[in-house]
Amino acid sequence: MSIIWSGQSIQPFKICKPNPNTESRFEGIRLIVFLILVFLGFSVVQADNDEPRLVRDETVLNNISPYVAKHSDDLILWQSLTPQVLQLAQNLNRPLFISSGYLACYWCHRMAEDTFSDPRLADFINDQFVPVVMDREVHVEEDRSLQSFMQKTRNVSGWPVAVILTPDGYPIFGYTYIDPDSMRTSLREFIDHWKKSALDISKSAYADSQKRHQTQLSDTRPVAGLSSLDLLQQFLVQANAATDMTYGGFGFSAKFPFVPQMNTLVELSHLNPEPQVKKFIEITLNSMLDSAVIDPIEGGLFRYSETRTWDKPHFEQMLYNQALMSKLLLRASVVFKNDRYQKAGLEMLDHMVANFKLDNGWYASSLSAVSLDGRDGGYYLWTPGELEEVLGVDWMELVENRLSDKTYILPAPHRSATDVKMSILNHRNFRPQERDDKPVLGWNGLVLSAMAYGAALNDRFIDDAQTLVKLLLLETERDNLPVIAGDEKAQLSTLETYVMVASGLFDWWQITNDPEVFKRVVELLNQSMLKFRQQGQWVEAQSLLPEAGMSTLAVPDRQIPSASGEWYRLAMLMRSVDLELTKSLAETMQKMETMQSTKMHMEAFYHATFILARLLKDISSQT
């Protein structure tokens, strides 16, 4: 299974099964009505001896998410997550069965192939549930609420995830990767209980949801008087406790980049050089660059490693990882005057342009971990025989294997083998690799931010950055920013989308001084306040599920920097440039400074973005 941070032929499905008891004169009318409903994209039920049955949802096939669209001809009659399908579940009084994943995820692929393709399981789900498939990169907040539910109830989170919910949308029980027989047995037991006690189960699910909500409110209750130094001290204590001085990074099992925290340490080193902090940063960055978590051929970053030593990667490459890590490397190269970090950061930008950039100038969301033969990382891995064909019988003298598992080889050319990398790349390019071409708007903002850093060091990135700036300026003229760029049907948006686009535009403004760009950043920050700030708290996203979209004083850093922390950082920097134009931001900044949550203090490690920004504000006000 892919954690957060821590070919069967398909039989044709008869949509319109004739009912012998129906008079023939009504058949034509029913068919016309049915075709109209399907054309309009509605989920339809077909009466057959008074037993309601779902039919295929055409919006799955035509979904903006390639991941969702791939499930359009599954045996399970998946529906898109829409208000209509939630209403359908209530009308049928059927539980929802929501599966969330993403295209690049190996275990999501395995779940589809191993479990959801089972005919008996599919028939049971179709008969007893309203099944919904969603892309976690599109329905960000809904997925986050399901992951939170799984973490609180089963102490596990990640993808794929499948959760049973009441018809009203309150979660009851969930699964990660599971075989079809086990899932069918579990679902059958649940349905037996549901048929006997549906009302009691629904009341219990609602009550449990309210308890989780109250617990969250308690954990995040406001506290005044915390200074930036109080918070910084807590961050340093917690970061130090998780520091791995042997292999770098945080934690002693699975390893994630933790870019927001690493970025904070780099900036603290710039403000006040500390030998031990510098040593940790260098151990971490050098270990990653020498490890299997970074593709040694093209320099792309894999999402995480299952091991402390960075040698068992999950091979999906996410756009946000490339953008954030390249920017971190470039910033570290300046702070520590390290040419290796600059070279690696620029190579990662080159990799983004070569492999993520779409023909229209946007950047795709991910490169899949799954090769066409179903192997995890098959695009990157080699057998000894394959390497011998490419490099000759002496291939072992030219490359090293960066994997702990010796079944396959992730070849890293020795520094003296100058032509080896190109030989491997030229042959590897003939291997097909699936890419998720939907452009996540906020992640494209992160790309621009990295491009701005790259363009400041090397002018080969200027043209690509300018193309992206034009696209972002055009897209942000809309009243409601979509999660996916160009999604004309989008109704929902996220705080992260607004802030990350603003962040990219601001970093570009810093090297261009373009007044139009500066004005757009101000507009985006103001719009995000109006849409996502309620009664002194932030709501991360508009949402379709009742347990999603809860308000909070401070959004934590995840793999992407905190949206509220980054909002504060941008507002602080822009106030220092133009007090008059940005005066609307001042009141929110003041409230964020004077009122934190208890959780921010207890879990300061996950609020590094805000803590650093507030420290910089305090320093600037004293000079």
Side-chain angles (χ1 to χ4, degrees):
M1 152 183 184
S2 184
I3 61 175
I4 292 181
W5 272 93
S6 47
Q8 177 176 325
S9 62
I10 297 176
Q11 298 300 316
F13 181 80
K14 293 184 178 180
I15 296 178
C16 291
K17 183 177 180 181
N19 186 331
N21 297 322
T22 304
E23 294 184 27
S24 60
R25 62 192 177 90
F26 292 113
E27 290 301 313
I29 297 174
R30 285 191 170 185
L31 179 59
I32 291 171
V33 171
F34 168 78
L35 290 174
I36 291 172
L37 290 173
V38 169
F39 178 77
L40 293 175
F42 285 95
S43 300
V44 186
V45 292
Q46 171 66 30
D48 182 9
N49 297 327
D50 298 324
E51 289 290 333
R53 294 182 62 84
L54 296 173
V55 301
R56 297 200 181 280
D57 181 354
E58 295 300 315
T59 66
V60 173
L61 174 61
N62 300 315
N63 202 279
I64 197 167
S65 161
Y67 173 75
V68 171
K70 284 187 72 170
H71 290 78
S72 62
D73 58 356
D74 285 1
L75 293 176
I76 296 176
L77 301 177
W78 297 110
Q79 312 290 297
S80 298
L81 182 60
T82 62
Q84 290 87 352
V85 81
L86 300 180
Q87 185 62 53
L88 177 64
Q90 295 176 35
N91 292 342
L92 296 175
N93 193 31
R94 285 193 188 185
L96 289 154
F97 181 87
I98 300 183
S99 175
S100 180
Y102 58 106
L103 186 68
C105 168
Y106 171 74
W107 286 106
C108 300
H109 169 79
R110 287 259 53 89
M111 186 83 158
E113 289 290 318
D114 302 343
T115 304
F116 291 146
S117 63
D118 181 83
R120 291 183 298 168
L121 176 63
D123 286 345
F124 187 78
I125 290 176
N126 291 338
D127 288 342
Q128 304 296 333
F129 296 89
V130 174
V132 174
V133 60
M134 72 180 193
D135 187 328
R136 65 105 168 177
E137 297 164 6
V138 177
H139 289 283
V140 181
E141 188 64 16
E142 288 85 355
D143 175 81
R144 191 173 289 140
S145 73
L146 298 182
Q147 298 294 343
S148 176
F149 168 77
M150 292 291 288
Q151 188 65 48
K152 292 173 181 176
T153 59
R154 294 197 55 196
N155 198 32
V156 64
S157 55
W159 301 276
V161 65
V163 177
I164 303 169
L165 302 92
T166 68
D168 293 326
Y170 293 98
I172 303 169
F173 186 77
Y175 309 86
T176 55
Y177 179 83
I178 184 174
D179 66 86
D181 291 337
S182 298
M183 175 172 273
R184 189 172 64 255
T185 299
S186 176
L187 292 180
R188 191 176 297 278
E189 291 175 353
F190 168 77
I191 287 297
D192 288 343
H193 289 295
W194 177 260
K195 289 180 177 178
K196 297 174 184 175
S197 309
L199 183 59
D200 290 340
I201 293 173
S202 294
K203 288 181 177 179
S204 177
Y206 173 78
D208 289 343
S209 177
Q210 295 304 301
K211 288 178 183 178
R212 287 189 293 272
H213 191 192
Q214 291 303 316
T215 299
Q216 176 174 317
L217 292 176
S218 177
D219 289 344
T220 59
R221 63 186 183 276
V223 56
L226 290 177
S227 69
S228 58
L229 291 180
D230 291 331
L231 294 169
L232 177 63
Q233 183 179 19
Q234 282 297 105
F235 167 77
L236 292 174
V237 168
Q238 293 169 20
N240 186 62
T243 294
D244 185 345
M245 292 299 292
T246 303
Y247 297 104
F250 298 103
F252 302 92
S253 53
K255 283 288 176 66
F256 287 84
F258 281 101
V259 174
Q261 290 77 12
M262 290 297 300
N263 178 69
T264 295
L265 292 179
V266 169
E267 295 302 334
L268 290 175
S269 295
H270 177 64
L271 292 171
N272 183 31
E274 168 59 47
Q276 196 69 2
V277 174
K278 179 185 178 184
K279 181 179 178 181
F280 169 69
I281 293 170
E282 291 177 337
I283 289 172
T284 299
L285 296 182
N286 290 335
S287 294
M288 292 180 71
L289 292 174
D290 290 333
S291 76
V293 81
I294 291 183
D295 173 23
I297 304 302
E298 292 185 90
L301 177 67
F302 301 124
R303 196 164 72 85
Y304 71 99
S305 173
E306 292 184 10
T307 58
R308 175 188 179 189
T309 51
W310 305 97
D311 57 7
K312 191 177 180 182
H314 268 241
F315 286 100
E316 64 263 41
Q317 290 196 27
M318 313 305 296
L319 180 63
Y320 62 81
N321 277 144
Q322 318 309 309
L324 291 170
M325 191 66 193
S326 58
K327 181 178 175 181
L328 173 65
L329 286 164
L330 294 175
R331 180 58 178 153
S333 75
V334 174
V335 172
F336 300 118
K337 297 178 173 58
N338 189 310
D339 291 339
R340 186 189 187 194
Y341 300 158
Q342 179 174 319
K343 181 175 183 292
L346 295 176
E347 284 181 352
M348 201 169 287
L349 286 179
D350 285 329
H351 167 61
M352 275 198 297
V353 173
N355 296 292
F356 284 82
K357 188 178 180 181
L358 304 172
D359 291 341
N360 59 13
W362 292 112
Y363 287 77
S365 68
S366 63
L367 302 178
S368 178
V370 189
S371 60
L372 291 186
D373 61 0
R375 277 191 300 156
D376 184 16
Y379 175 78
Y380 307 97
L381 302 179
W382 300 74
T383 65
E386 289 170 335
L387 284 176
E388 184 173 331
E389 288 182 11
V390 174
L391 302 177
V393 294
D394 297 328
W395 66 269
M396 284 186 288
E397 299 177 10
L398 302 175
V399 300
E400 64 176 342
N401 185 12
R402 292 197 170 169
L403 296 181
S404 56
D405 180 2
K406 305 305 179 184
T407 306
Y408 291 102
I409 299 163
L410 180 66
H414 297 307
R415 292 179 183 176
S416 59
T418 55
D419 297 331
V420 172
K421 182 182 290 188
M422 286 307 301
S423 295
I424 293 174
L425 179 59
N426 288 337
H427 283 78
R428 197 171 76 172
N429 281 339
F430 286 100
R431 299 175 173 181
Q433 184 178 38
E434 191 170 21
R435 183 175 70 180
D436 188 335
D437 282 348
K438 68 178 189 301
V440 179
L441 184 56
W443 298 0
N444 274 263
L446 297 176
V447 171
L448 178 59
S449 187
M451 286 284 183
Y453 271 64
L457 297 170
N458 192 302
D459 59 9
R460 72 176 182 267
F461 299 105
I462 291 177
D463 288 344
D464 290 313
Q466 288 177 331
T467 298
L468 190 52
V469 169
K470 292 177 182 177
L471 289 170
L472 289 170
L473 289 176
L474 183 62
E475 192 76 7
T476 53
E477 290 178 356
R478 298 175 56 167
D479 292 334
N480 194 54
L481 298 191
V483 174
I484 308 302
D487 184 2
E488 298 298 333
K489 299 178 182 178
Q491 299 295 319
L492 306 179
S493 190
T494 68
L495 174 64
E496 182 180 285
T497 299
Y498 279 80
V499 174
M500 296 310 157
V501 171
S503 182
L505 289 172
F506 179 79
D507 283 341
W508 183 248
W509 171 82
Q510 289 190 93
I511 65 172
T512 63
N513 289 314
D514 185 336
E516 180 185 0
V517 173
F518 187 89
K519 182 180 178 182
R520 185 59 52 84
V521 176
V522 176
E523 292 172 355
L524 289 171
L525 294 184
N526 279 318
Q527 289 169 10
S528 63
M529 272 197 305
L530 293 174
K531 290 177 179 292
F532 303 104
R533 185 96 177 150
Q534 298 177 5
Q535 298 178 336
Q537 298 198 359
W538 295 100
V539 176
E540 291 194 67
Q542 302 151 349
S543 175
L544 294 175
L545 297 179
E547 195 164 315
M550 294 182 183
S551 59
T552 180
L553 278 169
V555 177
D557 289 312
R558 302 183 179 99
Q559 292 193 59
I560 292 176
S562 157
S564 63
E566 184 67 4
W567 187 98
Y568 177 88
R569 185 186 79 89
L570 292 172
M572 177 264 295
L573 292 172
M574 298 183 73
R575 290 281 293 160
S576 67
V577 176
D578 192 326
L579 286 173
E580 182 62 27
L581 187 62
T582 61
K583 61 183 179 181
S584 58
L585 310 177
E587 182 180 352
T588 296
M589 285 183 61
Q590 179 66 26
K591 289 181 178 179
M592 293 178 71
E593 292 164 10
T594 57
M595 192 65 67
Q596 276 79 51
S597 69
T598 51
K599 198 163 189 176
M600 179 182 286
H601 190 257
M602 292 186 297
E603 299 181 0
F605 180 82
Y606 295 103
H607 292 276
T609 299
F610 173 77
I611 292 171
L612 174 64
R614 189 174 168 200
L615 178 69
L616 292 173
K617 166 109 173 354
D618 289 350
I619 291 173
S620 65
S621 64
Q622 295 170 7
T623 58

